[in-house]
Structures are given as C-alpha cells and as structure tokens.
Amino acid sequence: PQDGKFGLLELRDYPESDVISVSASGLGGGSLIYANVLMPMPAEFFQGWPGGITREVLDPYYARVLEMLEASPYPHASDPYYADTPKTTLFQKAAATIRPAPDALEPPTFCYPHLAVRFQGDFPGQQTRNRQGVWQSRCIKCGECDIGCNIHAKNTLDLTYLARARRQELLGPQGIAAEIRTEALVHEIRPLAEGGYAVVYGNPRQAGDRQTVRAQKVVLAAGSVGSTGLLLRMQRQRILTNLSPMLGKRWCANGDLEGTVLGTREEVIPTKGPVITGAIVYRFPDYPDGFPHGLVIQDAGIPAFLAWFVAAKLPSPAESWRALKLGWRFLKSFLYRLLPLGAQKRELNIGNRFSEMIDNDDYIRHTFLLLGMGRDRSTGRIELREDGEPVIRWNLEQSRLHYERVRQEMEKLARALGGTFLDNPLTYLRKIIAVHPLGGCVMADSPEQGVVNPQGEVFGHPGLYVVDGSIIPTSIGPNPSLTIAALAEYIAERLG
C-alpha cells in the first residue's frame, strides 16, 4: 500500500531475508489465494503443543470447519467431467508405482483431500446458493484458484464464515451481525487506561486518514508475517510494553518446496482442473532429537492465461526453429515474386507456418508441477528493518533432513512420469518461497516459551488475542489451513 499497490497477492522479499513469503490482502485473507486443500494434522505431530491441545481435542473443530466450508474430495472417480483431469490421473498412477524409501515407516499413500471448492451442480459454472445463501458456481477446472477464483467456485471465507457473520437472520436473536470494514490498514493497537484497546487504522488510499475503534477485546488475525510484524512495531514504539521476548521467534515455512517435472511421457495439461486435486502422504523416522517427521507431495496446476503467457515469453529451440522457418517462407515468397525463378512448385502456406509458431505450448502440456510440504523445524525468526518492514531469518540447515527427503521422493515421481526433475533453483541460494508461513507469535504455557496462551490471549495484555497461523508452535505437515481454522473455532468457543 505504501507504494500505491493494492493487489490481491502480497509477495515479500528483501536482500536481508532468507525467505520469500506469499500472503493475501483482501476480504477473506489467505482463503482467497490458497489451493483449497483441507487436511488434518496427524495425531503424532501434536507432540510439544501446549495446553493439552491434541488431535483428539481438535477433531470436533476439524469437522465443524469442513461443514462450514462445504468441503469435499475432488470427484475424479465419480463425475465424468472431473474424471477428465490428466494431471490427477497421472499423479495417481505415478503414486501407485513408486516404491517406499528404505527408511520409510510405511508405504506412501495417495488420497483425495477435502477441497473447499463447489462441485455441486448439473453443469460447469451452474450457479446455486450455498448454506449461507450466497450464490456460487460449479467449478469449471480453470486452474485460477491461487489468483482469486473469478466465478466464486472457491468456498472462501468471504462467502462462508464472513457471509454468515454479516447476516442477522442466520445468527438468531442472541447474535449480533458483524460490521466489516475493508481498505483499513491498522497502525496502532493501544491499551486504554480504563481497560480494553483503541485500534487506530486508516484507508491507505487516503493519505493521513485515521480512524479509531475501541473494544474490550481485540483479535488480531493478519497471518504469520502480518500479525508478528504489527506486534513488533508496537513493541518498538513502546505502545505494547509487556510482550513476550519470544515475539518473532519459532518461525517455520511448513517445509514448502516446489519442484518441476519436464518432458513427461504423457500429456499433463496442467491448466485443466483445480490447482491441487490429490496428495501423497509419507511417514518417515523422526529427526535425531525425536521430532516426528513426515511430508506430503501434491499435484499443482496453473491458469490457462498464465500458460499462454509462458509459452509466448519463454524461448525454446522448437520455437526458434519455427520462427526461422516462418521467416524463410516469407523470404522465399518474396524471391519468387522478385526474381524470374520459374513457376512455384510447392505451396507457400504462410498461415500454416504462422500457426505452428504460435501454437508452441507442447512443452507446457508435458510439464508437471509438484508441491512439497512437511515437518521442517521452527528455527526462524521475524525481525523488523529500520523502516518497520518485517524480514524473515531462517537457516535451512536444521531442516535439511526434510528437504532431502522431499527431493528424493519428487525425483522418484519424475521418473515414474517419464520426465526430468528440476529442483527449485532458489534452494541452491539457501532461499525458499514460503506459501505456508507459520509462527512468530506462538502459543505456549508461559511467556518464556511463547507469545500467547493456548486460548490465543497475548501474555501481559489481557483482552488482546492473536488467532492465525502465527500462533502455530510447530510445523503442521499437511497444508495448514484446516488446522488454523479448527484452532480458530476452538479459541472462539472459549472467547466468551
């Protein structure tokens, strides 16, 4: 916003940072740009969580979130329209052929995870109302999940939880409809002498705009980078003076790693289908210190318009050869007209050559994107630069075991697909892209161990809560969205 940019995606990268973070900016938060996957955290991964929070404790809240988001697995096996998704078919076949690693605790398992996507309807794009009375469309497999679904097939928070919160008739006589204000950038959360807090915010499009709301309880939910960055600024400005020394610490990326398979044996057509449709779940021996390890690899897709952009922009030998052939055809036609070379024996079909040159997406059709994630270590920290911008410090070494195992399994999948594995080049620079940032305001049983208690309340600041991915104390393994939402349900029930 300070640069006059107001897009849906917020990418942060600084020379001082070890991580490129990706987050959302819009009504609905990360649900606007995530890949819709809702997978629960395995029971054994809750080791070290505070307050007695276990998988058994969260199971009812997992179920509640799945119901609210009307989630269901990708109907690849039951619906002919969705069965025509080559990347899903190939991914499932590849998963069936790979052998478990020698040190694997169990064979890898393929599954169709729950997706927060609307598959109901008689035809693609058909509009029906969801349980909150909001019109949504049936998924058309356009692959635009991560850039904001333009047909409202994603069951995002603005269409589900927030839509319900705004409608008095859905809340009953005891409920109070929420008032939602957008284009509101928070500048301060200031304690009041009489108790409660004043939240100072302003419209970033209007220079100098400042407004204030007061409340006995304030819930901060700006994500790992956003919530931690704001509290760090409040600490630096001595507005919130009793924050834990653990603020900014115990950050992790949930083991994110992107890999690419080039030249697959069969056509993948990554532009067809939701971004993620299937998952392969792996379980490995613990780290040497006993920290449980496992990982998940998922298929990935891209929007059709992005594929066309890439096909047009990226040079390839085939494209160069087609361009030379087209140029030669033009030159040949010109020479036949200019010089007395005799009758033209062969047709100079410029249209065919031109069509060949622009229809050059074959290599994209044979490209398979893999998304890996899992149990890395929460050894990172978020700090502020002099200008108040948050940067992430994180050493890959403590999580090397995880990334080596992810690469190992991706390479096996590449061979099963008949292609060549291409690692993310950023990892050679000891830098990763984190689309699942976690930690920075982790929950704990004491302020010496974390920033908030197991109910999300900030130590030293009664009535101030943080409820988002920043409070997660360890990596989750699968996609974090379901666990974050379930934890939010758990805390909301106790907020009173």
Side-chain angles (χ1 to χ4, degrees):
Q2 60 268 36
D3 298 323
K5 306 297 183 184
F6 301 96
L8 192 65
L9 285 153
E10 186 175 86
L11 288 84
R12 289 180 175 271
D13 183 29
Y14 302 101
E16 310 96 315
S17 182
D18 298 314
V19 176
I20 300 171
S21 67
V22 182
S23 54
S25 180
L27 181 62
S31 73
L32 300 174
I33 63 167
Y34 80 141
N36 320 299
V37 180
L38 300 170
M39 294 181 71
M41 183 173 174
E44 60 269 28
F45 292 174
F46 282 89
Q47 175 184 308
W49 278 44
I53 297 176
T54 64
R55 169 64 184 270
E56 185 178 9
V57 169
L58 282 191
D59 267 339
Y61 304 99
Y62 279 139
R64 188 180 297 174
V65 173
L66 292 175
E67 181 181 6
M68 271 296 298
L69 296 182
E70 301 184 43
S72 61
Y74 189 56
H76 182 244
S78 59
D79 189 313
Y81 175 69
Y82 296 111
D84 183 21
T85 313
K87 71 184 181 77
T88 310
T89 303
L90 294 174
F91 192 48
Q92 186 175 18
K93 287 181 179 178
T97 63
I98 57 175
R99 294 185 177 182
D103 61 339
L105 297 181
E106 56 192 42
T109 304
F110 177 87
C111 68
Y112 294 105
H114 277 77
L115 303 179
V117 178
R118 192 166 189 82
F119 300 116
Q120 298 95 320
D122 297 326
F123 54 86
Q126 182 185 13
Q127 291 190 329
T128 54
R129 290 186 186 272
N130 67 16
R131 293 175 186 171
Q132 315 311 324
V134 179
W135 287 100
Q136 291 190 246
S137 298
R138 189 188 194 213
C139 173
I140 61 172
K141 302 190 299 186
C142 67
E144 295 184 3
C145 309
D146 287 349
I147 58 170
C149 178
N150 285 304
I151 65 165
H152 282 183
K154 279 169 66 84
N155 303 336
T156 50
L157 298 189
D158 56 320
L159 307 179
T160 53
Y161 276 98
L162 297 178
R164 180 179 181 81
R166 298 175 76 169
R167 297 187 61 182
Q168 183 66 55
E169 65 271 24
L170 297 177
L171 302 176
Q174 303 301 318
I176 300 176
E179 177 186 343
I180 296 177
R181 303 180 186 181
T182 57
E183 295 187 318
L185 181 64
V186 174
H187 299 285
E188 291 183 7
I189 301 177
R190 184 181 297 277
L192 297 173
E194 63 275 19
Y197 298 85
V199 179
V200 181
Y201 70 95
N203 187 334
R205 296 180 186 270
Q206 300 174 12
D209 178 55
R210 291 292 185 273
Q211 301 181 54
T212 302
V213 292
R214 293 172 174 81
Q216 287 298 308
K217 294 182 179 181
V218 172
V219 178
L220 179 58
S224 175
V225 178
S227 292
T228 307
L230 179 58
L231 290 184
L232 283 170
R233 287 192 290 274
M234 296 303 93
Q235 184 182 58
R236 175 184 284 184
Q237 297 169 25
R238 301 185 183 280
I239 293 174
L240 297 176
T241 58
N242 295 320
L243 293 170
S244 165
M246 293 299 296
L247 178 61
K249 298 179 181 178
R250 294 177 64 183
W251 183 93
C252 76
N254 201 50
D256 287 343
L257 184 69
E258 183 272 335
T260 306
V261 182
L262 301 175
T264 59
R265 186 183 305 108
E266 300 178 58
E267 281 194 347
V268 175
I269 315 181
T271 57
K272 182 180 286 189
V275 169
I276 292 174
T277 58
I280 306 175
V281 180
Y282 301 80
R283 185 69 171 90
F284 283 97
D286 300 344
Y287 282 82
D289 63 355
F291 185 75
H293 185 246
L295 59 95
V296 178
I297 297 178
Q298 298 167 346
D299 63 312
I302 58 174
F305 79 85
L306 181 60
W308 275 103
F309 179 82
V310 171
K313 290 291 186 181
L314 288 184
S316 68
E319 179 186 351
S320 301
W321 176 241
R322 290 186 184 109
L324 288 172
K325 288 171 66 177
L326 179 63
W328 167 241
R329 292 299 189 276
F330 274 112
L331 179 60
K332 194 173 181 181
S333 177
F334 174 75
L335 290 174
Y336 267 105
R337 294 182 60 188
L338 184 64
L339 303 173
L341 298 178
Q344 168 67 40
K345 301 297 183 182
R346 292 185 59 193
E347 178 186 8
L348 295 178
N349 194 327
I350 301 299
N352 280 355
R353 301 288 79 79
F354 191 76
S355 176
E356 288 176 1
M357 189 183 75
I358 63 173
D359 187 18
N360 62 346
D361 66 339
D362 186 65
Y363 67 96
I364 293 178
R365 289 171 170 264
H366 289 267
T367 297
F368 202 115
L369 301 178
L370 297 172
L371 300 177
M373 64 202 74
R375 296 278 282 174
D376 61 354
R377 308 307 297 268
S378 301
T379 54
R381 66 186 189 277
I382 300 176
E383 302 175 345
L384 291 185
R385 301 197 314 176
E386 289 185 6
D387 61 359
E389 290 297 310
V391 296
I392 301 170
R393 305 286 193 179
W394 191 71
N395 191 330
L396 194 69
E397 288 302 318
Q398 290 93 332
S399 302
R400 182 168 294 279
L401 175 68
H402 165 73
Y403 289 100
E404 288 178 349
R405 285 172 173 169
V406 174
R407 288 191 187 93
Q408 164 189 292
E409 297 305 323
M410 284 186 172
E411 288 173 356
K412 288 161 64 174
L413 285 168
R415 289 193 293 270
L417 292 164
T420 302
F421 176 66
L422 176 65
D423 198 356
N424 187 330
L426 286 174
T427 57
Y428 296 109
L429 301 176
R430 299 179 182 272
K431 199 162 192 173
I432 62 169
I433 300 176
V435 297
H436 298 137
L438 300 173
C441 301
V442 299
M443 60 180 179
D445 292 317
S446 71
E448 291 73 34
Q449 299 172 306
V451 179
V452 304
N453 67 22
Q455 286 72 49
E457 191 170 24
V458 177
F459 289 116
H461 292 279
L464 178 59
Y465 295 79
V466 182
V467 187
D468 56 27
S470 69
I471 72 173
I472 304 295
T474 68
S475 51
I476 287 174
N479 315 65
S481 52
L482 180 58
T483 298
I484 294 171
L487 195 59
E489 286 273 13
Y490 171 85
I491 292 172
E493 193 173 82
R494 288 156 177 77
L495 198 59

